[in-house]
Amino acid sequence: MGTELLLYLGGLALLDTLSPTIIGVTLLLILKDNKNMASRLFAYLSTVVILYFSLGVILMLGLGYVIDAFSTLFQNRVVSWGIFSIGVILFVASFFLPKNQKNRIPIPKTQSIISVVLIGVTTFLIEAGTALPYFAAVGLLTTNQLPYYQWLPILIIYNIIMILPAILIFFSYKVFGTWVTSSLNKLRTRLTTGSDSALSWIMCIVGLILIFNTLDYL
């Protein structure tokens, strides 16, 4: 496992920290300012991480099986061309992504743990379809044919990095309290109207990463 691969994976993980849904729900739970804020936030983030990690494991096992089963038919060059094509499509499509102001951040109906866990499931369903950095990371891990004892901890670390902004926001609120409340409210307002812009940037950057990572194998 080379340094270049780790740099690509680290960059993709940092891109996934820009998830407007995870940060938006985190801000919503924090700004409710209730006594059980920490436990509810932990339940929410744990649900998201478990679901994403499970998806990553399933994809790794599934993609690895397909590549092994059809290794004589689909050589690495073909796989590389496929990933390169996906990168080009993402890069071009990022400039044509339609802009709308629809709020995609789910709101829990109650403050119960079950409701928060369901919001975690909803977040996964909303974000999984557009989790381009995550899919790109899984694709890189698969094409590099890493053994399970290497890609399993990478997936764990990746998912922890993905929720780091939410954890940092929580600790900032706990330390500074009302001093940062107005800033957090402004951030939440921006997230509700700027999610499409963030997705456009993510598509563009992921596309470039896929393109440059596969140039040597075409």
Side-chain angles (χ1 to χ4, degrees), residues 141-161:
L141 290 173
T142 304
T143 54
N144 281 272
Q145 298 181 336
L146 298 181
Y148 74 91
Y149 56 82
Q150 288 186 347
W151 61 255
L152 268 178
I154 288 177
L155 282 182
I156 294 173
I157 295 172
Y158 188 105
N159 281 278
I160 292 174
I161 293 175

Side-chain angles (χ1 to χ4, degrees), residues 185-201:
N185 274 308
K186 291 179 181 178
L187 176 59
R188 183 169 171 246
T189 301
R190 287 187 178 183
L191 287 174
T192 58
T193 59
S195 58
D196 290 322
S197 178
L199 177 60
S200 178
W201 276 103

Side-chain angles (χ1 to χ4, degrees), residues 42-53:
F42 176 78
Y44 169 71
L45 294 178
S46 297
T47 302
V48 173
V49 167
I50 290 172
L51 290 174
Y52 265 99
F53 176 74

Side-chain angles (χ1 to χ4, degrees), residues 124-135:
F124 171 74
L125 295 176
I126 291 175
E127 295 287 313
T130 56
L132 303 177
Y134 197 53
F135 292 139

Side-chain angles (χ1 to χ4, degrees), residues 6-217:
L6 291 177
L7 289 176
Y8 279 126
L9 293 173
L12 291 168
L14 290 177
L15 278 178
D16 253 336
T17 63
L18 300 176
S19 167
T21 306
I22 294 177
I23 297 176
V25 173
T26 298
L27 290 171
L28 178 66
L29 295 174
I30 288 175
L31 294 174
K32 287 291 184 181
D33 194 23
N34 54 68
K35 294 185 297 183
N36 298 315
M37 172 182 61
S39 61
R40 291 187 175 93
L41 182 60
F42 176 78
Y44 169 71
L45 294 178
S46 297
T47 302
V48 173
V49 167
I50 290 172
L51 290 174
Y52 265 99
F53 176 74
S54 301
L55 174 64
V57 171
I58 292 172
L59 289 175
M60 285 297 301
L61 295 176
L63 290 176
Y65 175 79
V66 171
I67 289 177
D68 290 339
F70 296 96
S71 58
T72 57
L73 180 60
F74 297 106
Q75 300 299 323
N76 287 338
R77 182 180 294 272
V78 176
V79 175
S80 297
W81 269 107
I83 296 176
F84 176 82
S85 301
I86 292 173
V88 172
I89 292 171
L90 290 176
F91 177 76
V92 174
S94 68
F95 295 97
F96 299 95
L97 188 70
K99 301 294 186 295
N100 61 69
Q101 304 299 319
K102 185 178 179 180
N103 185 359
R104 298 170 64 243
I105 299 177
I107 300 175
K109 294 182 179 180
T110 68
Q111 290 299 306
S112 67
I113 293 293
I114 295 177
S115 179
V116 172
V117 169
L118 290 176
I119 290 299
V121 175
T122 303
T123 298
F124 171 74
L125 295 176
I126 291 175
E127 295 287 313
T130 56
L132 303 177
Y134 197 53
F135 292 139
V138 171
L140 293 179
L141 290 173
T142 304
T143 54
N144 281 272
Q145 298 181 336
L146 298 181
Y148 74 91
Y149 56 82
Q150 288 186 347
W151 61 255
L152 268 178
I154 288 177
L155 282 182
I156 294 173
I157 295 172
Y158 188 105
N159 281 278
I160 292 174
I161 293 175
M162 186 175 66
I163 63 169
L164 272 183
I167 296 174
L168 293 175
I169 290 173
F170 169 73
F171 281 112
S172 297
Y173 183 79
K174 295 294 287 185
V175 172
F176 299 106
T178 55
W179 291 355
V180 296
T181 300
S182 61
S183 298
L184 295 180
N185 274 308
K186 291 179 181 178
L187 176 59
R188 183 169 171 246
T189 301
R190 287 187 178 183
L191 287 174
T192 58
T193 59
S195 58
D196 290 322
S197 178
L199 177 60
S200 178
W201 276 103
I202 289 173
M203 288 174 61
C204 178
I205 297 172
V206 170
L208 289 175
I209 289 176
L210 293 179
I211 290 171
F212 287 120
N213 186 69
T214 53
L215 285 177
D216 294 336
Y217 302 99

